[in-house]
């Protein structure tokens, strides 16, 4: 009993004087003296409550400085991160399966645009997928409509035999009609493309479709003005240019709406049927 009264056989050190184990991840050296205590700070200090190590921090947070990062590059050490931090970096980097948006190039001038539709259709449609082409589309389609009336035998005879005051409004109305028809057919193509999962905008789709309609029919129209719409060569050119229009429509919708070619062809089907029945076969 005397031994216990004198303190022999037990540790008389108060709780705060006992050596404390360093947190996992730190090779903290043991206290140099068994009686050494952890530094204690008051309520205004950076440490915690009485007797707590300073690195535990304020348990209530909010008033302390932002937590710091601790990292070790040696084996056996861990890395600690502050609250609300993503240790794996920016989550936007890991958007698996997300298709990148097609690069939008600068707007092409009208000459490069018209020649690009014929000579470089794929890069031209991709570059112009985000640009409206109303100016070239309306002008080219209107001029095409003015000449298209002379590609039909009956309409050409009526326009030639009519007086000048009657023929001019007749020709102008035909040009306006082709513009309105191109707008309607292009809008239908755009709507079908969006229904099939496309993501393009309506202005480039409608404008480019009007340009395709007018440019592809130009070879047939040139021969039809002199040979008539019922000529055999004109009919063959009509079928060839109609197939070329189908290929360009499919390519344009595919580039503008990020669709595979079967869906792009399906979106252009109504416009192709309309062009075939109204213009190519001479039933306008």
């Amino acid at each position: 009993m005397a031994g216990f009264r004198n303190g022999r056989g037990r540790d008389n050190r108060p709780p705060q004087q006992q050596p404390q184990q360093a947190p996992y991840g730190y090779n903290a050296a043991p206290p140099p003296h068994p009686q050494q205590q952890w530094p204690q700070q008051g309520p205004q200090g950076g440490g915690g409550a009485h007797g707590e190590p300073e690195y535990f921090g304020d348990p209530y947070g909010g008033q302390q400085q932002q937590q710091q990062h601790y990292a070790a590059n040696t084996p056996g050490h861990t890395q600690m991160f502050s609250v609300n931090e993503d240790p794996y970096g920016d989550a936007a980097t890991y958007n698996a399966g997300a298709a990148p948006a097609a690069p939008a190039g600068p707007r092409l001038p009208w000459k490069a645009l018209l020649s690009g539709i014929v000579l470089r259709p794929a890069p031209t449609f991709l570059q112009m997928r985000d640009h409206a082409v109303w100016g070239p589309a309306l002008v080219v389609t209107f001029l095409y409509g003015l000449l298209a009336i002379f590609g039909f035998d009956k309409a050409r005879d009526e326009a030639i035999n009519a007086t000048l005051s009657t023929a001019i409004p007749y020709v102008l109305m035909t040009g306006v009609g082709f513009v309105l028809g191109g707008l309607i057919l292009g809008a239908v193509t755009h709507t079908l493309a969006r229904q099939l999962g496309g993501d393009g905008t309506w202005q480039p789709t409608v404008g480019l479709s009007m340009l395709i309609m007018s440019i592809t029919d130009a070879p047939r129209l040139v021969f039809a003005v002199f040979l008539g719409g019922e000529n055999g060569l004109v009919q063959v050119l009509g079928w060839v240019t109609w197939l070329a229009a189908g290929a360009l429509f499919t390519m344009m919708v595919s580039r503008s709406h990020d669709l595979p070619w079967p869906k792009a062809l399906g979106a252009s089907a109504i416009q192709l049927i309309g062009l075939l029945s109204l213009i190519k076969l001479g039933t306008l």
Side-chain angles (χ1 to χ4, degrees), residues 181-199:
L183 289 172
I184 294 173
L185 292 176
V188 171
T189 299
H190 168 74
T191 303
L192 291 176
R194 294 302 295 264
Q195 292 292 329
L196 294 175
D199 59 356

Side-chain angles (χ1 to χ4, degrees):
M1 298 297 292
F4 287 101
R5 290 193 187 100
N6 293 333
R8 293 190 298 270
R10 65 176 181 177
D11 192 355
N12 291 329
R13 288 175 295 182
Q16 66 272 15
Q17 296 178 358
Q18 296 180 1
Q20 300 189 12
Q21 183 179 1
Y24 179 75
Y26 298 88
N27 289 334
H33 193 275
Q35 299 297 329
Q36 183 179 357
Q37 299 181 1
W38 293 101
Q40 301 178 5
Q41 297 187 9
Q44 275 73 22
H50 177 72
E52 281 189 350
E54 185 179 19
Y55 55 75
F56 281 162
D58 187 358
Y60 299 98
Q63 303 295 329
Q64 303 298 329
Q65 297 179 353
Q66 185 179 6
Q67 298 181 1
Q68 298 179 352
H69 297 171
Y70 299 92
N73 295 325
T74 58
H77 289 238
T78 59
Q79 183 175 358
M80 300 177 63
F81 299 91
S82 61
V83 180
N84 297 328
E85 180 184 2
D86 183 7
Y88 300 103
D90 189 4
T93 309
Y94 301 95
N95 290 333
R107 183 192 299 272
L108 294 174
W110 67 272
K111 291 182 179 180
L113 174 61
L114 298 182
S115 62
I117 292 177
V118 178
L119 303 177
R120 303 175 304 276
T124 299
F125 294 145
L126 183 62
Q127 185 170 348
M128 296 299 292
R129 61 166 292 170
D130 296 323
H131 300 289
V133 291
W134 289 124
L138 295 176
V139 172
V140 171
T141 305
F142 180 73
L143 294 176
Y144 165 75
L146 295 180
L147 298 176
I149 191 174
F150 299 99
F152 304 100
D153 297 336
K154 184 178 179 180
R156 179 179 56 187
D157 295 338
E158 292 178 355
I160 293 176
N161 295 328
T163 60
L164 187 61
S165 59
T166 305
I168 292 179
Y170 186 54
V171 173
L172 293 177
M173 289 296 295
T174 304
V176 173
F178 269 85
V179 171
L180 295 178
L183 289 172
I184 294 173
L185 292 176
V188 171
T189 299
H190 168 74
T191 303
L192 291 176
R194 294 302 295 264
Q195 292 292 329
L196 294 175
D199 59 356
T201 55
W202 72 277
Q203 296 186 63
T205 304
V206 175
L208 290 174
S209 68
M210 295 172 66
L211 288 174
I212 294 172
M213 177 189 72
S214 304
I215 292 175
T216 54
D217 194 49
R220 183 202 66 85
L221 182 59
V222 171
F223 286 91
V225 169
F226 299 100
L227 302 177
E230 301 299 330
N231 183 272
L233 177 60
V234 174
Q235 292 291 321
V236 172
L237 283 175
W239 283 102
V240 172
T241 55
W242 181 76
L243 293 175
L248 290 178
F249 278 128
T250 302
M251 190 179 301
M252 183 270 294
V253 175
S254 177
R255 297 298 189 276
S256 298
H257 289 267
D258 292 328
L259 289 174
W261 73 265
K263 290 186 176 182
L265 179 59
S268 308
I270 294 181
Q271 187 163 14
L272 286 171
I273 294 174
L275 295 179
L276 179 63
S277 60
L278 298 178
I279 299 176
K280 306 295 184 178
L281 299 181
T283 58
L284 181 62

